Amino acid sequence: MKPILLISGPNLNLLGEREPEIYGESTLSDYVNLAESTAAELGYELIHRQYNDEGSIVEEIHAARSTYQGIVINPGALTHYGWSIHDALAAYDGPVVELHISNPNAREPWRHTSVVAPVATGSIVGFGGYGYKLAVHAIVDALK
Ligand code: CA2
C-alpha cells in the first residue's frame, strides 16, 4: 500500500522557536510525530517532507503521482500566492487536504486568499497541532 505524503512549506521548520502566541510552542517534529502516529493507528504509513522553496514542493507533488496515495499539505505562506503549487496539485489524482495551524482567515487580509483551497479535497484550519490528527483522519476517510 502506498504511503500518505505530508508536505510542509517555508519556515515551518522554525515552529517552536518564534511566534509561539500564533503557532504554539510545539515544533514541527512534534506535529509530524502526531501525524505519523495517527496514520499508524489507522493502518497507514505517512512520510513527511519540508521545503523552504516552491520548486521543490512542485517536484515532490509531481513525484507523488506514482508514489503516494494522498497528500496533506501545509504550504506555509505559499498558500496565498503559490500558483505553481496550485497547478501541480490540480494534476495530482489522489485526495489533497490543505492544513493550517492558525486560521489564516482571521489574520491579515493577504492571508485570506488560498490558491490551494480550490484544488484541495478540503481544508483544516485553526485547530493548532490537533489539525495534524484531523488532517490524517480526513485523508484516510477520503481514500475509502
Ligand atoms: O497557520 C499555518 O499553518 C500557516 O500555513 C503558517 C505559515 C503562514 O505564512 C500561513 O499564512 C499560515 C507560516 C509558517 C511558519 O512561520 C513561522 C515564522 C516564524 C517563526 C515560526 C514560524
Side-chain angles (χ1 to χ4, degrees):
M1 190 162 67
K2 289 189 279 188
I4 294 163
L5 175 63
L6 170 63
I7 301 177
S8 300
N11 297 312
L12 284 158
N13 54 308
L14 299 178
L15 287 170
E17 294 179 21
R18 306 264 170 84
E19 303 195 50
E21 66 286 358
I22 299 174
Y23 301 115
E25 296 191 351
S26 300
T27 65
L28 182 59
S29 292
D30 295 329
Y31 296 143
V32 171
N33 287 342
L34 177 60
E36 284 172 346
S37 61
T38 304
E41 283 165 17
L42 298 172
Y44 288 79
E45 183 188 5
L46 179 140
I47 305 290
H48 174 246
R49 302 277 184 253
Q50 191 271 331
Y51 300 103
N52 285 318
D53 66 292
E54 186 168 354
S56 298
I57 295 174
V58 170
E59 300 276 8
E60 190 70 48
I61 295 167
H62 291 174
R65 285 189 286 174
S66 56
T67 316
Y68 298 98
Q69 55 179 316
I71 300 176
V72 176
I73 182 165
N74 182 343
L78 290 168
T79 303
H80 314 299
Y81 63 94
W83 286 104
S84 63
I85 294 175
H86 166 106
D87 287 349
L89 288 172
Y92 178 72
D93 47 12
V96 174
V97 173
E98 177 192 14
L99 170 63
H100 297 288
I101 299 162
S102 67
N103 178 359
N105 302 304
R107 298 179 63 192
E108 304 94 319
W110 63 269
R111 295 187 203 268
H112 297 181
T113 297
S114 169
V115 300
V116 171
V119 288
T121 310
S123 305
I124 293 171
V125 307
F127 291 101
Y130 184 57
Y132 283 77
K133 191 178 187 77
L134 294 173
V136 172
H137 277 274
I139 201 106
V140 167
D141 192 70
L143 286 166
K144 285 179 186 158

